[in-house]
Amino acid sequence: MSLKKYNAYIKVVEVGSLTKAAEMLNYTQPNISQMISSLEEECGFSLLIRQKNGVKPTKNGLAVLHAMREIQRGYEKLSETVNQINGLETGKIRIGAYTSIATNWMPKILAEFKNLYPFIEIQVYEGNASELNHWLEEDQIDFGIGTSHNDKWDFQPLVEDPILVIMSQQHELAKLNLITLEEIESAEFILPYSDSHFEVQNIFNQEQILPKIVYQVRGDETIISMVKNNLGISILPKLLLSRCTEDIVIKPLEIDVSRQLGILMNTKKHAQTPSVNKMTHYINEWVERNN
């Protein structure tokens, strides 16, 4: 069995398509199909279920997927360590991040990091809390940047991000200096889904208030757009609002509420590669300098 075949199978499972995986790995579709077929022959069982709209792993395919990823990661760690000894800084880093972080932090962090380590390859996956948990569980990312709401992952705190109230300039609450919980409860409210911003749900549960929910929306940009059109007020983190100051009014709550942003890692499964350790260390330094 070869590492190339493992890499091909892992990518096929991640994207759910032989054709897409071939394009991403610079193979032809027949080549990657041949590699998967050869791997299935060596394993002695089927790895993929072929469907009209793509492929998915069989039960046995899922059972061997983690071991293949461990071999892939072990090889990457070995290669990085050898290159580091020889004075070369190489590697591959997969980062999952909330939309607010991917938009406001990552472009600046990546630009500076790539200047220092131009040969380290970086992939950024943008997602919500549920997606970050799934990617960490399935070992599709090396670490996530978000919030921690369980004890499943190792969590390295970075910064406190205040939770604020947003409304249109025409809204009756726009003239106030701060917003009380009673005013939140009496106004028409646009509620984010809990898998995107569970902190908002926590405020309502802890303070025992029942807002008048007129819409429930998953997309942050959609919520902001609806607020701009005076369809209701909402509550979102400050970092997400840093580029959305036009046409909306941002006010503090009467209570001090924030979300703690940090680095999430699945350290129970494996040790991190040298390049990942460099990146997490650099993110800590960058956040300290800029907040």
Side-chain angles (χ1 to χ4, degrees):
M1 295 186 184
S2 73
L3 185 64
K4 283 186 177 180
K5 294 176 186 177
Y6 296 157
N7 291 341
Y9 178 65
I10 291 167
K11 184 58 68 177
V12 167
V13 173
E14 286 179 355
V15 300
S17 166
L18 291 165
T19 303
K20 288 181 182 177
E23 291 174 356
M24 296 175 75
L25 296 174
N26 294 318
Y27 294 130
T28 64
Q29 201 273 344
N31 282 343
I32 205 163
S33 295
Q34 187 177 9
M35 281 193 284
I36 298 300
S37 296
S38 174
L39 189 57
E40 288 178 323
E41 187 175 339
E42 292 171 10
C43 289
F45 49 78
S46 297
L47 296 171
L48 294 174
I49 300 171
R50 276 76 171 176
Q51 300 172 315
K52 288 183 179 180
N53 58 345
V55 296
K56 67 177 184 178
T58 62
K59 183 178 180 181
N60 290 332
L62 279 175
V64 299
L65 181 62
H66 174 65
M68 290 184 187
R69 281 181 169 146
E70 285 293 305
I71 293 171
Q72 181 189 56
R73 185 178 294 276
Y75 180 79
E76 289 173 356
K77 188 174 183 180
L78 173 62
S79 298
E80 287 183 29
T81 303
V82 170
N83 287 334
Q84 192 174 37
I85 291 170
N86 289 321
L88 299 174
E89 300 287 356
T90 64
K92 181 178 180 180
I93 307 171
R94 304 161 302 165
I95 307 169
Y98 286 177
T99 299
S100 54
I101 294 165
T103 302
N104 295 287
W105 285 5
M106 294 314 298
K108 299 171 186 175
I109 291 172
L110 296 180
E112 295 178 16
F113 189 82
K114 289 295 281 185
N115 282 334
L116 295 173
Y117 308 104
F119 301 110
I120 293 180
E121 179 187 346
I122 303 169
Q123 297 176 343
V124 179
Y125 300 79
E126 183 180 325
N128 58 35
S130 296
E131 288 170 318
L132 259 62
N133 281 331
H134 174 72
W135 293 335
L136 285 167
E137 183 67 45
E138 297 299 317
D139 206 19
Q140 293 183 29
I141 57 175
D142 297 303
F143 64 91
I145 310 177
T147 54
S148 177
H149 53 281
N150 58 52
D151 298 327
K152 202 170 188 178
W153 318 120
D154 176 65
F155 184 71
Q156 304 173 23
L158 290 172
V159 71
E160 292 288 336
D161 187 22
I163 306 295
L164 302 170
V165 186
I166 60 172
M167 64 210 69
S168 76
Q169 294 175 347
Q170 293 76 39
H171 199 279
E172 59 182 8
L173 297 180
K175 62 182 181 293
L176 302 178
N177 293 325
L178 59 78
I179 309 300
T180 66
L181 295 174
E182 289 77 14
E183 285 156 347
I184 291 288
E185 196 167 26
S186 63
E188 293 188 334
F189 195 87
I190 302 170
L191 180 69
Y193 273 84
S194 58
D195 62 358
S196 299
H197 299 290
F198 63 87
E199 299 89 0
V200 177
Q201 302 274 11
N202 286 347
I203 293 171
F204 298 153
N205 293 335
Q206 291 173 6
E207 302 299 328
Q208 297 183 340
I209 63 173
L210 297 171
K212 297 177 182 177
I213 299 170
V214 288
Y215 300 100
Q216 189 166 12
V217 181
R218 179 166 283 109
D220 299 325
E221 294 300 322
T222 304
I223 293 173
I224 293 169
S225 179
M226 293 172 74
V227 168
K228 285 182 180 180
N229 285 276
N230 205 20
L231 295 174
I233 68 170
S234 192
I235 300 176
L236 290 175
K238 181 180 180 180
L239 185 60
L240 188 61
L241 303 171
S242 60
R243 296 187 180 185
C244 305
T245 54
E246 293 183 5
D247 302 322
I248 64 170
V249 176
I250 303 172
K251 299 288 183 178
L253 271 168
E254 66 170 336
I255 57 172
D256 187 18
V257 183
S258 63
R259 62 175 183 173
Q260 188 175 53
L261 297 174
I263 295 172
L264 299 130
M265 281 189 175
N266 192 351
T267 55
K268 295 177 182 178
K269 281 191 176 181
H270 45 68
Q272 296 297 342
T273 61
S275 61
V276 170
N277 289 331
K278 282 184 174 64
M279 175 57 88
T280 55
H281 181 71
Y282 189 82
I283 289 171
N284 272 280
E285 288 186 340
W286 187 91
V287 172
E288 189 173 344
R289 290 198 314 267
N290 292 276
N291 290 277

